[in-house]
Amino acid sequence: MSWERHGPAWHVPMRIIARMSEPIAYLGDLLHVDAPISYGAFHDLDYATRRTIPDVQCTDWPIDLTLPLSTWWVAAADSTHDPRLEKRWRRGSDGPPAMLWGWCASAADESAWEGRGAVEVRKKPALGEMSRYTPDKTTHLGSGPMKAYDLAVPTVLAREVTWYAHGDPDKVRHLLATHVPAIGKKRNIGNGTVREWVVESCDVDRSVVDETGRLMRRLPTGAVDGAQGMGAIRPPYYHPTRMVASVEPC
Amino acid sequence: MKTSGKIEIRAVALEPIVHGAGTSGNTSLLRMQPVILPDGSTGKVPFISGNSIKHKLRAAAVQYALDAIGVEDRTLTKAEVDLLFSGGHLSKSGAAVDLEMARQLEELFPVLSLCGYSAGNTMTESKLSVSHLHLICRENEWRIPDDLKASPMLALRAGAQRVEDFGTRHDMGNKTPGVRYLTEGAQESAAKGKKKALAEKAPSDKGDSAQMIYDFQAIAAGAHLWGTVHFRNLSELECAALASAFHYSAAGRQGDDLLTSVGAKNSIGYGAIRVELRSSLRVAPPQFIESTGLVGLDGPDMATRYQAHLRDRRVDILAAIRKAVS
């Protein structure tokens, strides 16, 4: 093992459970729990502050919000990633070198998936309205940015989804219960709805690896042995600047 | 001041609801959601997708705003109509985002920031989260809201609330009065084709006839459904836009309830529902208090102020929409 954890002394191991009422639109991207916690932290900011932060989809470097979680640190094994992903965990001339870091928060326990399906998302072009409001003679339904589509997004079915994290359970509970009504993709149209969030402290820290040494989340290459991949290590997980050569949990 | 809260939807199907997903033969199949039941078994329940409800709200809110502004026919571009009624699309690359444009659109035309949109190189997240409309049935008992736990509909399985119906289409090229409007050549051709088909094949085969019977599955009339619309950080004008969406999508009232329609085949009598809306505002999340108005702030003056805003800023609004897609 060549990773280390840092955080305030009062941080404790915790178990996070989402009791689900809808299937989760899930593309196999591990569902790390620091992603919804980060989403909650953003929406916990006051409105005026949020308006000063550029949209994640449109900025070349999304800022890292402060989360109530401990952090893991790993020395970078290569330089294929964005250098802004690295920093020193302690400042000062005698501090350590810059390292890759992320939040001590596990991926979803995929043994919870009891079934799989797909949710179809359709877009019908507004033909009637185009006919009324535009002077154009034709519109093309089969190509271009305004084409009709029927997109099938894979879903997983679970009664409960479990994660592990290391940090402040009360603050994590506040962020999730207050600001995160759903997880996964396509949340605004009814998918991945969470009925109840349960955040409870537990005895063993399984946020990064469990007591048997099993990897519980994605880490940069070199941190542990395991399946090699390429993936994001901290939120927003879908942003290309967060990608590193990684070890994937199995 | 920003308003967050939710609107609980309690609906009763006044007519069968057709909400299809795929076909089997010439039968249109009802859209079903797979669920894991408390005993570990799996089941499938029909539902109305949140996507279709959200689109209905968006289309109604936009139509209300365009009518209030007085937008004339044939004055918009296709990209503008796509932005307004379908949420638009990304058309530019680059990292420099025009935040001012997004703020301007939110202030001038609140429907877009309410429902979310893509324009230029910017995607703006919707402030609405619309759940699926679910059937009150035994398979959904584990996720039923507290106020519906005593519903007698929970005794029924989903299968007992599904029906099949059919429609017919007549080939008017072979029947009166349609046939008399055909040209002589077309009449001869139709008669010849029919004669040939009858001579060569079974009597039931009418050659290239367009006549058909089609079947479709539906949620039975009388079924009860529930859903939720969550909204957050709405400005006063966005609250007004959301209220306008509910009211403009309704065909009328029955007591305090709205009459509207969901699903397909609305034009031939399907999908009518009676909707009870219960609004509550988020005070200390996730706690809510009941609200008297539909979206908390909508009083008698709110719609008037919203209409006045749309009328008075007509030129600015249309310019901002044009700039967003240019």
Side-chain angles (χ1 to χ4, degrees):
Chain A
M1 298 283 181
S2 58
W3 65 276
E4 50 194 274
R5 189 185 70 213
H6 294 285
W10 65 83
H11 279 185
V12 295
M14 70 184 99
R15 181 188 297 113
I16 300 169
I17 299 169
R19 298 202 168 122
M20 307 302 301
S21 68
E22 299 284 348
I24 306 162
Y26 175 56
L27 301 179
D29 45 3
L30 299 180
L31 280 181
H32 289 97
V33 75
D34 46 336
I37 294 172
S38 178
Y39 178 87
F42 173 76
H43 285 278
D44 209 43
L45 300 171
D46 64 77
Y47 189 69
T49 307
R50 287 207 305 276
R51 284 176 63 120
T52 64
I53 299 175
D55 287 345
V56 170
Q57 292 93 335
C58 309
T59 181
D60 68 336
W61 179 252
I63 62 166
D64 288 297
L65 297 169
T66 302
L67 306 186
L69 295 172
S70 303
T71 48
W72 54 256
W73 297 78
V74 173
D78 58 34
S79 57
T80 55
H81 53 267
D82 191 311
R84 289 172 290 187
L85 283 173
E86 294 181 40
K87 71 174 183 181
R88 298 157 68 185
W89 66 265
R90 182 162 53 80
R91 289 179 183 161
S93 57
D94 61 341
M99 301 168 92
L100 289 166
W101 67 278
W103 303 103
C104 290
S106 76
D109 178 1
E110 299 209 2
S111 65
W113 308 156
E114 296 178 72
R116 289 180 186 270
V119 58
E120 291 169 349
V121 182
R122 293 173 183 147
K123 179 183 172 184
K124 283 198 294 188
L127 285 184
E129 290 81 3
M130 282 184 188
S131 170
R132 174 178 174 186
Y133 286 113
T134 76
D136 298 70
K137 289 182 178 171
T138 60
T139 187
H140 205 301
L141 297 182
S143 64
M146 287 176 268
K147 71 177 179 180
Y149 65 71
D150 185 355
L151 187 69
V153 182
T155 57
V156 289
L157 282 72
R159 303 271 299 169
E160 292 184 349
V161 186
T162 304
W163 297 267
Y164 295 91
H166 193 275
D168 183 336
D170 292 335
K171 287 185 180 169
V172 168
R173 186 183 303 110
H174 164 75
L175 294 177
L176 292 174
T178 305
H179 302 293
V180 185
I183 58 173
K185 312 286 183 196
K186 304 290 177 193
R187 300 178 302 276
N188 278 344
I189 50 174
N191 299 294
T193 307
V194 178
R195 272 187 301 145
E196 182 184 13
W197 284 102
V198 177
V199 180
E200 56 198 13
S201 55
C202 57
D203 297 332
V204 183
D205 177 22
R206 300 185 182 100
S207 60
V208 179
V209 293
D210 71 2
E211 58 271 41
T212 65
R214 184 167 64 108
L215 187 60
M216 300 294 282
R217 60 157 297 120
R218 182 182 290 137
L219 283 182
T221 298
V224 292
D225 294 331
Q228 297 296 306
M230 190 79 189
I233 51 169
R234 59 178 193 256
Y237 280 91
Y238 53 87
H239 203 275
T241 58
R242 300 305 201 248
M243 301 277 277
V244 301
S246 61
V247 187
E248 303 287 302
C250 297
Chain B
M1 181 184 165
K2 301 288 178 183
T3 307
S4 299
K6 63 180 177 180
I7 299 171
E8 299 279 1
I9 298 172
R10 303 289 179 261
V12 180
L14 302 176
E15 299 286 351
I17 300 171
V18 183
H19 191 52
T23 57
S24 175
N26 67 344
T27 301
S28 171
L29 302 176
L30 200 55
R31 192 163 185 184
M32 306 287 277
Q33 185 186 60
V35 288
I36 306 288
L37 301 173
D39 64 1
S41 62
T42 56
K44 283 189 168 182
V45 286
F47 71 108
I48 314 295
S49 71
N51 195 33
S52 67
I53 306 292
K54 185 158 181 272
H55 176 74
K56 190 174 179 66
L57 292 175
R58 180 197 290 274
V62 168
Q63 193 63 63
Y64 176 91
L66 294 187
D67 289 349
I69 291 170
V71 174
E72 291 159 12
D73 292 357
R74 298 187 185 84
T75 55
L76 301 178
T77 66
K78 282 192 286 190
E80 287 166 4
V81 171
D82 183 57
L83 170 68
L84 294 172
F85 287 95
S86 303
H89 56 269
L90 294 176
S91 57
K92 290 179 188 168
S93 58
V97 174
D98 191 347
L99 290 176
E100 189 52 38
M101 180 201 80
R103 288 188 201 112
Q104 199 183 22
L105 262 185
E106 179 179 331
E107 283 158 15
L108 286 172
F109 199 69
V111 180
L112 286 177
S113 53
L114 177 74
C115 296
Y117 64 94
S118 300
N121 62 351
T122 312
M123 288 170 70
T124 299
E125 187 185 2
S126 170
K127 295 182 177 184
L128 288 185
S129 179
V130 183
S131 80
H132 303 309
L133 270 187
H134 282 300
L135 191 63
I136 302 181
C137 62
R138 201 185 304 170
E139 289 91 336
N140 280 332
E141 189 170 7
W142 58 278
R143 57 178 169 181
I144 202 89
D146 289 344
D147 63 300
L148 296 174
K149 282 183 175 162
S151 170
M153 304 303 285
L154 283 171
L156 296 176
R157 297 192 72 95
Q161 302 187 56
R162 284 170 50 184
V163 293
E164 278 207 17
D165 210 339
F166 70 95
T168 56
R169 190 175 75 175
H170 298 285
D171 180 11
M172 296 313 288
N174 279 320
K175 289 179 185 290
T176 49
V179 74
R180 76 185 165 100
Y181 293 108
L182 295 177
T183 61
E184 270 184 31
Q187 278 184 8
E188 273 174 29
S189 175
K192 200 172 163 186
K194 194 172 175 182
K195 194 175 170 185
K196 190 179 172 195
L198 287 170
E200 291 177 356
K201 297 177 185 172
S204 60
D205 190 339
K206 299 273 174 62
D208 60 353
S209 167
Q211 182 162 310
M212 66 183 289
I213 294 178
Y214 55 95
D215 302 296
F216 45 88
Q217 298 178 336
I219 297 171
H224 290 219
L225 304 107
W226 90 92
T228 312
V229 175
H230 283 273
F231 54 91
R232 64 176 174 218
N233 298 317
L234 300 192
S235 65
E236 188 185 74
L237 289 178
E238 286 167 335
C239 288
L242 179 55
S244 76
F246 279 103
H247 293 305
Y248 226 52
S249 64
R253 281 190 172 276
Q254 196 172 76
D256 291 336
D257 298 345
L258 296 178
L259 298 176
T260 186
S261 54
V262 292
K265 303 192 187 299
N266 294 167
S267 61
I268 54 171
Y270 291 90
I273 57 172
R274 192 181 75 224
V275 182
E276 179 193 351
L277 300 172
R278 301 175 191 166
S279 179
S280 52
L281 300 182
R282 204 172 78 170
V283 278
Q287 294 169 347
F288 294 84
I289 55 163
E290 274 190 32
S291 161
T292 48
L294 180 58
V295 197
L297 291 176
D298 57 331
D301 300 334
M302 194 159 140
T304 311
R305 282 203 300 276
Y306 181 44
Q307 282 182 14
H309 164 86
L310 293 169
R311 273 197 309 271
D312 297 346
R313 310 293 298 274
R314 179 181 195 278
V315 175
D316 297 337
I317 290 168
L318 293 176
I321 292 170
R322 184 139 298 178
K323 186 180 168 197
V325 298
S326 62

